[in-house]
Amino acid sequence: MTTPVAATTAAVTAPAASAPASLTPVFVRLKLSLLRNGLRGSSKRKAVWITTLVFALVVAFFTTLGLSLLHGHARAGTVVVLLAAVLALGWTFMPLFFPTGDETLDPSRLVMLPLRPRPLVRALLASSLVGIGPLFTLCLAVGSVIAVARGAAGAAAAVVGAPLLLLGCVTLARAVATANVRLLTSRKGRDLALLSGLLIAVGAQLANFASQRLFEAGGLSQLEPVEAVVRWLPPATAVGMVDSVSDGSYGVAAAQLALTVGALALLMWFWERSLTQLMVSPDGSTIAAARPVKDRGAGGLWSLLPEGRTGAAVQRTLRYVVRDPKTKASWVTALAIGLIIPVVNALQGAGSVYLACFGAGMLGVQMYNQFGQDTSAFWMVAQTISTPRDAYLELRARAFALGLVALPYTALVTAVTAALLGDWGSFPAALGLAVALVGSMLCTGALASALFPYSIPTDGAFKNVAPGQGGLAWMGILGGMVVSALICAPVIALTVYLNVADQHGLSWTVLPLGVAWGALVTWAGLRLAAPTVARKLPEILLAVSKG
């Protein structure tokens, strides 16, 4: 079967005797071939694609219908101009989050073909208009211009405004993707894609909070100052132009149209320039090392770590957090969600300083399945463990690495929550309870790592447990969380008693008690887990190597 690149090569390297074919229809057929060949795979892929198409069309239909019903509404212009800006933002950043969603986003695959940048830009732009995303955007653009178009002049402007909005969004996405194609195809780009779900979830929470505050403050009228600025920012100017024509402000409309067309031309120029640079500049894989490799682990902050096994294990654990995509995603998710939950609740006026314990618990979970997080690299670590003392030092170093992040983070979340609520009186008790919870989860995490190890597959961004080991994972994590709550019961009981008995003047005593209790139970958990690790090391190796 002819591959898409082979088909493109054959088209652009046709014999000189024949008339040179335009690249645009070739690339449009290429994009259609990619879509068609994608449906020839498994029935699961076909079902997912059809479901996505149907869902997008249904959402687009009802959204377009809703926007059309805004026709004649006093705030219609505010809604659709801001919607155009949101569409532009989505088109700008989604290629950075999901670079593998469209194979044609990587123009570096075409650098070996005899193609000139300017015809290639036109061909890529035309092929970019084929797909579910452009169709969805076109529906929203049509609904937006219908909402603000009034009279014959407004209708004529709408015919121009909707395509300009679509072209602006698609060109913006292509220009950004081409300028960052080296990043998108690198390890950092894959890390960025892996964290995209977290960023979307955070954005959804912030948008939900902003919408609640907006309607509490008086509705869409509060957005008029923002809309007055956004309507002069391309490509939202395309919709603003239609609204201005409908209002009879032809001079303003002409300026907005000129701004839209000028921004589109500037984006095309930037896209062509980035494409030219990409096609003539070598990447890092073709350039020999110009300078000797330095030992980056010998200096800097790493020099503050203790010598020997402890320092090496701490550094290895923290480097996993920075370099391994799955470990990084897990940590960043815990850090972000652990901060968002108490902060959002505090901003809504329904929070408590003690919700900072949620963040402590999110980070404490990272102590579970310590050996499975190493994947196949644990074989090298296992060669250094022969006695319970070796196992204790290894577990202690991993707990120390987690504590280096968890304890300052817990203090920060507790302080931010207390500041937002204005409840500094509960700060010592909340911080003491959170620190005790971190210690309890370090204790149970070490025990769960020894008793319920499981493998984390390296393939698949969302596969975190090997097939057949789901029960071990749930048993270790959920059981550990329950036991952690029981271990933390003395500190919880003291905190509850001081609040119920109205002894707020003594709430500061929870902080030193929580710190001492957390340190004690962490030490006890590491001591109990170490002999089990040394004794069951072959079983742990077998468990973490599955999948």
Side-chain angles (χ1 to χ4, degrees), residues 120-133:
L120 184 57
V121 166
R122 291 196 298 264
L124 287 174
L125 178 59
S127 64
S128 300
L129 297 175
V130 178
I132 298 176

Side-chain angles (χ1 to χ4, degrees), residues 235-250:
T237 47
V239 179
M241 179 266 297
V242 179
D243 191 27
S244 298
V245 169
S246 300
D247 291 338
S249 303
Y250 299 112

Side-chain angles (χ1 to χ4, degrees), residues 326-346:
K326 287 194 174 182
T327 305
K328 180 187 295 186
S330 178
W331 273 70
V332 173
T333 300
L335 290 169
I337 300 300
L339 177 64
I340 288 172
I341 295 299
V343 167
V344 170
N345 279 275

Side-chain angles (χ1 to χ4, degrees), residues 52 64 69 83 118-119 127 184 220 224 242 260 289 310 349 359 372 404 416 427 472 475 485:
T52 303
T64 305
L69 294 176
L83 176 61
R118 183 162 298 176
S127 64
L184 299 181
L220 294 174
E224 288 184 351
V242 179
T260 304
T310 299
L404 282 178
V416 170
F427 172 77
L472 283 174
M475 188 180 303

Side-chain angles (χ1 to χ4, degrees), residues 309 316 379-387 390-391 394 537:
R309 183 191 188 108
R316 181 183 69 241
W379 283 91
M380 299 297 296
V381 178
Q383 303 303 314
T384 66
I385 299 177
S386 58
T387 64
D390 295 333
E394 178 68 26
L537 190 59

